[in-house]
Amino acid sequence: MQTLLQDLRFGFRMLRRSPGFTVLALLCLTLGIGSNAAVFSWIEGILIRPYPLVSHQDRMFALVGTTRGVEGHNGLSYPDFVDFEKNATLFESFIVDKITGTSLSVGDRAEIASVGIVTANYFDALGVRPILGRGFRSEEGTGRNAHPVVVISYRTWRDRYKSDPEIIGKTQYLNGVQHTIVGVAPEKFHGTFIGYSFSFWVPTSMQETFDSTGYKLENRGARWIEGYAFLKPGVMRQQAQAELNSIAQRLENDFPDTNRGHEVQLFPLWKTPFNGAGNMSPTLAITMAVVFLVLLIACANVSNLLLARSLLRRHEMTMRLALGAGRRRLVKQLLTEGLLLSLIAAAGGIAVACWCRNALVFAFPSPAAGIVIDYPGQIDWRVLAVSAGICIGSTLLFALVPAIHASHVDLSSALKTEGGGVLSGSSRSRLRSALVLVQVSLSFVLLAGTGLLLQSLNKMRNASPGFSTDVIVSGVDLFSGGYNLERAKIFHTQLLDRVRTLPGVESAALTRVFRPRIYSHGR
Amino acid sequence: MTNGSSPLIRLSGVTKVFLTDEVETHALSGIHLDIRVGEYVSIAGPSGCGKTTLLSILGLLDTPSEGSYSLKENEVANLSFADRARIRNREIGFIFQSFNLIGDLTVFENVELPLTYRGMGAGERKSFVTEALERVGMAHRAKHLPSQLSGGQQQRVAVARALAGRPAILLADEPTGNLDSRNGEAVMELLKELHAVGATICMVTHDERFAQHADRTVHLFDGRVVEDRIAA
């Protein structure tokens, strides 16, 4: 311990005495460690633990409808969902979380906002307690359009309602229906849909209000539900999946017309196919590889700097060996000095990571005012542990080779020539050439990796909604203007007819879908 | 163990050959040398005669190509690097021509350095260092950096560093080579005082005046001992 303290003290002194070297090395390492910590904070915040306020995320799985023999996924129908919930014994709870958009009346204007249609047990199952008011009561989940109640997000409460402490009980028009605000979600809870921060949550009973394609709560063939399931403690995913398979089989037998070939799969959160997780996984993997290369290059740079500095310190190393330091002791000292460098750089790196943890949203601009893109990084003990690991790993990478070389001195000739002969010129030159070669090679790989990353980001930004986007997209929502479904249909038909007659228009169609990157209202 | 009759150091038939570009250079040839506890030996000879090579072998900084070397009756000629480092640290104190203090350490830390490699506790180290600095009259400069001292003072600190670990022998390589005559004399006086209180010293010098301070002078020429004279 004493030796470590001595080495640390001496290391600090050495850093102070060579400010140029220190600043350069710290910049390189901060960039390397910081970028790795930032990307890992994204992986932690987006893929591994995306919902910080949700208890037992380790037991939370995405519930995904699939069709046998068909690639891709679809949803679950509400009656199927209820049957799964009733019959499953290995699950603690099931929740629905269907993202949709809403038109929000603000005076004489309408704004778009993201809404989650959720089961009444949503907040209780997640273990999220509203900071004002309450979540939903169990009876509010059923009854066609019977419970126009809404829980609002903290951001909505703060920005739209100016943090009104008396907000509970006030009303807000959503899709033309007056909803009573019953709760305000906590600040750090943004919903359970990776990529989007929700503004409102309404119970499943209000599905028809937020879905212009009609009432679906009693339709076993309408597969619109996305949701999650919590396993009971100690239950393995495979066991739970087997139980779901058997229930699905029973439903298939009981309802062959609607359920033939339909199954339900449990996906870990980081693989959730119906939100941003599925898209982000490969992009973050490439990003991780790119920043790891940056770290390697930074380490090679610092290693070169240390090697150059060891020339200046050869006299000191020779003397330490002459006075009885073993090679291991010397390597330990130099590694401690390196560790000191990387610890300072890691502290800077964590600061960089904190600063950039929400930077990912800049790559994914909001599709419309009122829609909040949310790809939060998460700095927790795991990120700190990984950063510490990176820090130690980098030290070994950049400090070990110079340390070993510095400790292999021909003492006799070094002392005779006073300052000569720590390493023979050719040996040092070969080592430095090798380091330069590593740097150049890594730079090429880095360039290729960056290209891949940009391509991947571009692909995500331009994710195909399933039809050509080489068109003019226009958003029109009529509910907020007081249109009912019938009047809206007439308006849309007339609108289409007129658009089709415009010069230059080849075709026009209507859709009402709210999806990440595919939210649109017509073309 | 060492006693009055057996030498502290015994070299028998020590040879050192350097190989450079297929050329063999015989730096030392068949050296036989005994040094007893409490002796003050000076090794003299013209430049290139092998004095420093001999001192390197005595100090375990180098290994002989042939021959045996026993220190305190233990064969040390072919030990591993780590074992040689351990023995250097415990049994040998070095004083170099160019002082070889570490510029980034204070006087105290420089003297303390060999003791830290011995794994000595902080309290014991402090007492050893203080005692050594007091013996060379440099205790008042303990917190200074070497660059803040004169050449003579730096060599005194180097002597303190060599003494601090209470080694079996002090090896001094041209200890006055980088000093003016006044400071050179002062350092020689210091070595004499140390010898007077029992230190075993082996000093390399090409300066006859300083060689005479020792009570035995070994003359080298072309890597061979040509004279081994005890002062009258």
Side-chain angles (χ1 to χ4, degrees):
Chain A
M1 191 61 189
Q2 267 189 9
T3 313
L4 179 70
L5 286 176
Q6 265 178 348
D7 287 348
L8 283 175
R9 203 167 53 222
F10 186 73
F12 265 121
R13 209 176 293 170
M14 292 304 290
L15 294 183
R16 219 174 42 228
R17 284 176 69 91
S18 17
F21 162 83
T22 306
V23 167
L24 207 57
L26 283 179
L27 273 178
C28 284
L29 289 174
T30 302
L31 175 71
I33 295 175
S35 55
N36 275 270
V39 174
F40 190 71
S41 81
W42 294 340
I43 290 175
E44 174 77 358
I46 295 168
L47 299 181
I48 300 176
R49 289 181 187 268
Y51 313 122
L53 290 195
V54 173
S55 39
H56 311 306
Q57 278 187 73
D58 49 326
R59 291 193 271 123
M60 184 179 179
F61 290 87
L63 207 54
V64 180
T66 55
T67 308
R68 225 176 3 254
V70 178
E71 257 189 55
H73 65 92
N74 48 38
L76 275 77
S77 69
Y78 190 71
D80 280 354
F81 176 84
V82 172
D83 281 336
F84 279 112
E85 196 177 26
K86 267 187 199 160
N87 294 306
T89 59
L90 300 176
F91 292 80
E92 203 167 69
S93 51
F94 288 82
I95 53 171
V96 168
D97 181 17
K98 174 68 178 174
I99 188 170
T100 185
T102 181
S103 290
L104 188 67
S105 302
V106 185
D108 58 350
R109 291 181 300 112
E111 275 185 16
I112 290 167
S114 49
V115 174
I117 302 174
V118 299
T119 35
N121 68 341
Y122 182 72
F123 291 101
D124 291 337
L126 295 175
V128 172
R129 295 174 63 83
I131 56 162
L132 286 178
R134 58 174 177 85
F136 298 119
R137 293 183 180 131
S138 57
E139 66 269 21
E140 287 169 344
T142 53
R144 187 172 179 175
N145 296 322
H147 301 284
V149 288
V150 61
V151 173
I152 63 174
S153 72
Y154 183 90
R155 188 199 302 260
T156 305
W157 177 60
R158 186 193 61 201
D159 296 349
R160 183 168 301 285
Y161 304 108
K162 311 294 177 217
S163 303
D164 178 3
E166 307 295 326
I167 191 71
I168 303 303
K170 292 191 174 167
T171 58
Q172 169 68 55
Y173 274 93
L174 299 174
N175 276 13
V177 176
Q178 195 175 33
H179 284 68
T180 303
I181 297 170
V182 296
V184 178
E187 185 176 6
K188 287 184 179 168
F189 182 70
H190 303 154
T192 45
F193 192 95
I194 293 167
Y196 281 76
S197 180
F198 284 17
S199 301
F200 300 94
W201 291 271
V202 294
T204 39
S205 58
M206 300 306 291
Q207 173 269 326
E208 189 181 13
T209 304
F210 292 89
D211 187 344
S212 57
T213 56
Y215 181 61
K216 294 173 180 168
L217 295 190
E218 289 161 28
N219 182 351
R220 202 173 280 279
R223 302 184 188 282
W224 61 282
I225 282 179
E226 291 160 355
Y228 300 93
F230 284 89
L231 307 191
K232 282 183 176 167
V235 174
M236 305 297 291
R237 182 160 71 105
Q238 290 77 0
Q239 293 171 289
Q241 183 63 61
E243 185 175 46
L244 288 183
N245 290 346
S246 92
I247 298 171
Q249 186 61 54
R250 217 159 48 230
L251 290 174
E252 189 173 346
N253 294 338
D254 293 349
F255 308 101
D257 292 346
T258 54
N259 285 46
R260 192 179 303 282
H262 284 291
E263 295 173 336
V264 173
Q265 304 288 333
L266 289 174
F267 279 71
L269 293 181
W270 66 275
K271 278 187 176 172
T272 307
F274 53 74
N275 62 29
N279 279 335
M280 285 307 281
S281 298
T283 307
L284 285 176
I286 297 171
T287 313
M288 194 75 229
V290 166
V291 294
F292 185 65
L293 284 173
V294 170
L295 178 69
L296 288 183
I297 291 174
C299 286
N301 272 333
V302 177
S303 202
N304 243 334
L305 285 172
L306 280 175
L307 209 58
R309 196 167 72 145
S310 75
L311 261 177
L312 300 173
R313 294 182 67 186
R314 62 188 171 181
H315 174 62
E316 176 203 334
M317 294 304 141
T318 308
M319 271 320 295
R320 285 178 181 272
L321 287 168
L323 293 175
R327 281 187 177 132
R328 276 172 60 182
R329 175 73 186 77
L330 213 57
V331 168
K332 208 168 102 187
Q333 181 200 327
L334 292 172
L335 282 181
T336 307
E337 288 178 31
L339 189 64
L340 188 65
L341 259 183
S342 38
L343 277 176
I344 299 171
I350 299 287
V352 169
C354 278
W355 186 64
C356 319
R357 78 191 144 144
N358 292 319
L360 205 54
V361 292
F362 295 120
F364 303 97
S366 172
I371 302 295
V372 180
I373 298 294
D374 186 35
Y375 283 116
Q378 179 85 10
I379 305 280
D380 57 14
W381 67 268
R382 286 174 206 83
V383 176
L384 295 179
V386 168
S387 303
I390 291 171
C391 178
I392 292 167
S394 333
T395 307
L396 288 176
L397 271 177
F398 71 73
L400 192 61
V401 173
I404 288 172
H405 273 82
S407 68
H408 281 74
V409 181
D410 178 357
L411 278 178
S412 179
S413 51
L415 286 169
K416 260 185 228 169
T417 54
E418 198 211 341
V422 173
L423 271 178
S424 71
S426 60
S427 157
R428 181 174 299 276
S429 161
R430 272 200 303 277
L431 183 61
R432 299 195 69 170
S433 300
L435 280 171
V436 170
L437 197 69
V438 167
Q439 279 172 289
V440 172
S441 316
L442 285 175
S443 302
F444 274 113
V445 183
L446 180 65
L447 271 177
T450 310
L452 262 177
L453 176 64
L454 290 176
Q455 211 175 13
S456 170
L457 281 174
N458 199 38
K459 210 169 154 188
M460 279 187 67
R461 287 166 62 112
N462 301 306
S464 167
F467 54 84
S468 167
T469 52
D470 186 18
V471 293
I472 297 166
V473 179
S474 167
V476 181
D477 196 295
L478 303 172
F479 287 104
S480 60
Y483 280 67
N484 60 23
L485 195 58
E486 206 50 46
R487 282 186 64 204
K489 274 182 185 168
I490 294 167
F491 173 84
H492 283 138
T493 310
Q494 289 175 348
L495 175 71
L496 266 186
D497 289 344
R498 287 195 192 181
V499 169
R500 279 176 182 140
T501 59
L502 290 174
V505 173
E506 199 177 286
S507 63
L510 288 171
T511 180
R512 181 181 167 77
V513 181
F514 187 88
R515 276 282 191 188
R517 307 299 311 156
I518 46 175
Y519 129 85
S520 61
H521 294 275
R523 62 168 179 160
Chain B
M1 288 267 86
T2 308
N3 55 42
S5 59
S6 61
L8 174 69
I9 282 174
R10 167 162 284 172
L11 298 183
S12 306
V14 165
T15 298
K16 182 68 185 178
V17 181
F18 292 107
L19 282 173
T20 45
D21 298 331
E22 298 175 2
V23 177
E24 277 193 4
T25 308
H26 289 257
L28 297 174
S29 305
I31 300 282
H32 295 273
L33 178 70
D34 285 358
I35 299 175
R36 292 181 186 281
V37 173
E39 268 194 310
Y40 186 173
V41 180
S42 86
I43 298 170
S47 185
C49 70
K51 301 186 298 287
T52 301
T53 304
L54 178 59
L55 203 74
S56 292
I57 289 173
L58 287 173
L60 297 176
L61 297 172
D62 207 348
T63 51
S65 307
E66 277 176 34
S68 75
Y69 171 17
S70 96
L71 176 68
K72 284 186 165 179
E73 296 182 12
N74 296 310
E75 181 58 36
V76 293
N78 295 306
L79 293 177
S80 67
F81 188 91
D83 284 339
R84 282 192 286 136
R86 188 174 47 79
I87 294 173
R88 265 201 311 273
N89 180 257
R90 287 171 183 273
E91 308 291 357
I92 299 165
F94 289 101
I95 302 163
F96 298 97
Q97 177 178 352
S98 50
F99 328 133
N100 284 339
L101 298 175
I102 294 175
D104 291 304
L105 296 178
T106 62
V107 163
F108 187 95
E109 288 165 337
N110 264 289
V111 177
E112 186 188 31
L113 194 60
L115 305 179
T116 64
Y117 294 142
R118 200 180 283 193
M120 195 182 266
E124 204 179 359
R125 280 203 314 264
K126 191 176 176 186
S127 108
F128 276 47
V129 172
T130 309
E131 185 192 317
L133 284 174
E134 277 169 359
R135 279 178 83 176
V136 301
M138 289 299 293
H140 64 297
R141 297 287 193 140
K143 289 182 180 170
H144 286 68
L145 288 171
S147 56
Q148 296 170 309
L149 306 178
S150 70
Q153 286 175 321
Q154 287 189 40
Q155 192 59 303
R156 280 173 173 273
V157 174
V159 172
R161 182 179 62 189
L163 281 178
R166 298 174 187 170
I169 186 166
L170 287 177
L171 299 180
D173 186 6
E174 304 274 12
T176 58
N178 279 8
L179 299 175
D180 58 35
S181 58
R182 190 172 60 85
N183 277 312
E185 281 297 342
V187 167
M188 293 313 296
E189 281 305 316
L190 180 59
L191 291 179
K192 212 170 175 178
E193 284 168 28
L194 293 172
H195 173 237
V197 293
T200 309
I201 301 173
C202 179
M203 173 181 69
V204 161
T205 181
H206 64 272
D207 191 324
E208 276 300 323
R209 285 176 303 144
F210 295 136
Q212 283 165 13
H213 280 78
D215 43 31
R216 178 180 160 202
T217 305
V218 175
H219 276 272
L220 289 186
F221 189 78
D222 280 349
R224 294 172 192 280
V225 176
V226 292
E227 187 184 3
D228 190 343
R229 178 168 47 86
I230 295 173

